[in-house]
Amino acid sequence: MAEELFKGENEYADQAGTGKLLNPRIDSTFKALFTQKTKESEDALKSFLSAAIERRVMGCTVTANDAPIEYAGQRGVSYDIACELDDGTVADVEMQAFNQKYDYGRRAEYQVARLEATYFTKGSPWEMVPTVYQISILDFYYRVDGVESDEKDAEAAPVVSRFAMRTKDGRELANALNVIFVELPKALRLEGSLDSNTDLENWAIFLKDADNPEKKDIIDRLTSKEEGLMQAQKSLSSISNNRDLWIAQFRQDVYETDRISGLYAAEKRGEIANARAVARNLLTMGVLTREQVAKATGLSIDEIASL
């Protein structure tokens, strides 16, 4: 982690301009990659959206990040990169670098519904309801029904999952609400099939590996065969000269390390409290010696003696 390798954010930010690349999976970098007022950034965004919605996007406009609050108590929604496409289609693209352990499925359904409500003009006929896409890029395995995929499951599971409203027998409704999940860890198994991958699968490889010097050959092969990915690489190289983005990345790394450390400490406290409760019960039963209780619970003799 950043705080282990560098003395502070200024030393970390000295990587700007050295040729090292920012991590495109960090929220601030991801947004900058696609929203700069440059040809490279704009072309990269159009290419990514084309790959995601499976049609060529000729033009798009990045719009407001926050959905309007229409009544007291309505939950706020902040979009990462909200875009209005040339045909009126709306898409929100977001990067989730860290698994916060909440229900991403329900969250995505809520966000895509709010996205549609935000861009549907009051008084318009129902035929004018926009088609909307909530596109979530996850740098972890998505939890389905509370069960997290593991690497073995990933061998057979798709990198890209597309969700829409359908009946159980597959009949579609209006295809107005669309959710797309891209699970980056699964992209590792696609590195040997660049020519047969879908465009979005190759984008997943790029986002997973773009900042990894050990994967430079793969990234170079990708960017040499696809113009949009080449523009994305140029955009990432350009913004990697920005010290402010390096500082933002450092702070995000530190924040996430602190969060994980806090969760780990809480988990350990819970384990110790549970072990002490078990030890008390065993001592009360009087069937084991202190040494046997210590071995059974993992506590020290001193800890057993203090109970």
Side-chain angles (χ1 to χ4, degrees), residues 44-150:
L45 179 58
K46 286 187 289 186
S47 172
F48 176 82
L49 291 171
S50 296
I53 70 173
E54 299 180 305
R55 75 161 181 80
R56 188 176 182 186
V57 174
M58 300 300 295
C60 64
T61 303
V62 178
T63 60
N65 279 355
D66 296 314
I69 301 297
E70 299 178 355
Y71 56 85
Q74 185 178 27
R75 185 184 181 92
V77 171
S78 181
Y79 305 119
D80 276 11
I81 305 175
C83 313
E84 192 163 4
L85 280 52
D86 45 2
D87 65 350
T89 298
V90 178
D92 172 45
V93 186
E94 67 170 11
M95 171 63 72
Q96 293 288 340
F98 307 106
N99 190 352
Q100 304 295 331
K101 302 297 184 182
Y102 45 65
D103 191 325
Y104 280 91
R106 290 181 182 272
R107 179 178 182 273
E109 285 187 341
Y110 176 79
Q111 285 189 296
V112 76
R114 281 293 299 277
L115 195 63
E116 184 176 72
T118 297
Y119 286 87
F120 180 49
T121 305
K122 185 177 181 179
S124 299
W126 291 116
E127 289 75 14
M128 297 299 292
V129 169
T131 299
V132 295
Y133 289 83
Q134 174 63 39
I135 307 166
S136 295
I137 303 166
L138 311 178
D139 197 18
F140 50 84
Y141 295 119
Y142 170 54
R143 296 174 64 88
V144 180
D145 296 330
V147 178
E148 188 168 353
S149 302
D150 58 23

Side-chain angles (χ1 to χ4, degrees), residues 246-261:
W246 281 100
I247 289 174
Q249 179 168 298
F250 176 86
R251 291 175 178 174
Q252 183 62 52
D253 277 346
V254 171
Y255 170 81
E256 185 59 20
T257 300
D258 288 345
R259 187 185 71 84
I260 292 174
S261 297

Side-chain angles (χ1 to χ4, degrees), residues 133-205:
Y133 289 83
Q134 174 63 39
I135 307 166
S136 295
I137 303 166
L138 311 178
D139 197 18
F140 50 84
Y141 295 119
Y142 170 54
R143 296 174 64 88
V144 180
D145 296 330
V147 178
E148 188 168 353
S149 302
D150 58 23
E151 293 183 12
K152 184 177 180 180
D153 296 331
E155 291 300 318
V159 173
V160 178
S161 298
R162 300 177 181 275
F163 306 93
M165 296 182 69
R166 293 181 175 86
T167 61
K168 288 185 177 180
D169 60 359
R171 288 180 292 127
E172 299 175 343
L173 197 55
N175 280 334
L177 300 176
N178 299 274
V179 171
I180 301 172
F181 281 174
V182 183
E183 297 173 70
L184 298 187
K186 296 178 180 179
L188 296 176
R189 63 183 171 87
L190 298 175
E191 293 177 354
S193 54
L194 303 187
D195 293 331
S196 59
N197 294 339
T198 67
D199 290 342
L200 191 53
E201 287 173 337
N202 279 339
W203 264 101
I205 295 172

